[in-house]
Amino acid sequence: MAAVAGSLLLASVASAQEWRGGTARVEGNVKSEKGDPIEGAKVSLRWGRSGHGGPDLKTDKKGHWAILGLAGGPWNVDFEAPGYQTKKISLSLSETTRNPNVEILLEPEVTQAIQAREEILVGGKKISKEAAAALEA
């Protein structure tokens, strides 16, 4: 009985790690919609063939990330950063040719975009609605 349980455990661990050990490499950059690099953005890769997890990375101060040793095939990649909308993409990675760089532009969260639009012209200058309300008070 213990041997069967051990075999099942090893099989589940092996299938969860199927994405490792390949020769595929992928890298890219995460930037704001203005083109500024986003440091510390989370890049989550999930191998599409098994649906199991894959590696999670963080971007450096230049918004760059890279990983190698991945299995080729379909991958789902999520990009997350505080204050920005999450972006989800799908890639097909090759183990025999160089994969193109992944360039991602993240848009501000909806609440920030709405607040940015809620500006009023006062004396020829843009101010927030809150500031205008405070001036009126």
Side-chain angles (χ1 to χ4, degrees):
M1 185 73 160
V4 172
S7 295
L8 289 173
L9 178 63
L10 285 175
S12 67
V13 169
S15 68
Q17 302 297 318
E18 290 173 337
W19 58 268
R20 292 182 189 252
T23 59
R25 172 187 169 88
V26 64
E27 65 183 303
N29 296 293
V30 179
K31 298 179 179 180
S32 71
E33 62 181 1
K34 295 177 183 176
D36 299 323
I38 300 176
E39 180 180 2
K42 181 179 176 185
V43 181
S44 301
L45 293 98
R46 303 291 175 256
W47 197 41
R49 288 193 179 150
S50 69
H52 290 108
D56 289 337
L57 313 166
K58 295 275 186 186
T59 57
D60 64 16
K61 64 182 177 183
K62 295 181 180 178
H64 184 77
W65 61 276
I67 188 165
L68 54 94
L70 300 176
W75 284 84
N76 297 313
V77 188
D78 297 349
F79 300 89
E80 300 175 60
Y84 294 92
Q85 294 179 37
T86 298
K87 184 152 194 168
K88 298 174 182 254
I89 65 168
S90 296
L91 302 172
S92 182
L93 298 183
S94 171
E95 291 189 58
T96 59
T97 60
R98 184 178 173 105
N99 292 296
N101 280 359
V102 179
E103 300 296 325
I104 297 295
L105 296 178
L106 294 182
E107 297 179 12
E109 285 182 336
V110 175
T111 55
Q112 286 185 346
I114 290 170
Q115 288 174 353
R117 283 187 229 128
E118 292 182 15
E119 294 178 336
I120 298 173
L121 281 177
V122 175
K125 294 186 179 188
K126 288 184 182 180
I127 63 170
S128 70
K129 262 187 157 176
E130 292 80 15
L135 287 174
E136 284 185 38

